[in-house]
Amino acid sequence: MSKRMSRAEARELRIELLRARAAIERQNLRKYSAGLVNDLSPGNLVRGVLPRGLGEGGASNLLMQGVGLLTRYPFLVSSVTGLLSGRGRGKAGKRLFRALLGGLLGWQALRMARRNKTSGAD
């Protein structure tokens, strides 16, 4: 024999289920926001921009590989110093630099989001 629930009991049960669902959603939000903060840390952003082999190892290894990269490709040094120097750049140059930097950061954030999505978000 099944005992039928009263309207008040059914309402209490629905409220409790909604509270449980909200608690689970808050827990997932905390977990994913902590992961996002970790992914958007400066070190991880730099590692994501660099080629795979260049990002491996400690900070000193990374520094030595960066120096080797700059000695191998000297145009990188002149390009970076030209972009970072204030001379010769007007408002258009600053806007272009900001747009390129924003595009690079956005592309990296999108790449990390896709990587997290395909890795099977728990």
Side-chain angles (χ1 to χ4, degrees), residues 45-52 54-55 62 69 111:
L45 285 175
V46 170
R47 265 187 238 108
V49 172
L50 296 175
R52 290 251 187 239
L54 193 62
L62 179 66
L69 186 70
R111 207 171 118 202

Side-chain angles (χ1 to χ4, degrees), residues 66 69-70 73-87 89 97 101 104:
L69 186 70
L70 291 177
Y73 303 108
F75 69 90
L76 288 177
V77 176
S78 62
S79 299
V80 168
T81 55
L83 283 173
L84 295 179
S85 70
R87 294 183 188 171
R89 282 196 302 149
F97 181 68
L101 186 63
L104 179 66

Side-chain angles (χ1 to χ4, degrees), residues 36-52:
L36 182 65
V37 166
N38 184 33
D39 289 343
L40 293 179
S41 69
N44 285 335
L45 285 175
V46 170
R47 265 187 238 108
V49 172
L50 296 175
R52 290 251 187 239

Side-chain angles (χ1 to χ4, degrees), residues 17 21 53 69 102 110 115:
L17 286 173
R21 180 182 293 169
L69 186 70
L110 181 65
R115 189 180 322 144

Side-chain angles (χ1 to χ4, degrees), residues 17-38:
L17 286 173
L18 289 173
R19 286 180 183 155
R21 180 182 293 169
I24 290 171
E25 288 176 1
R26 281 192 302 270
Q27 182 181 11
N28 284 337
L29 182 64
R30 277 194 302 266
K31 183 173 88 172
Y32 292 131
S33 63
L36 182 65
V37 166
N38 184 33

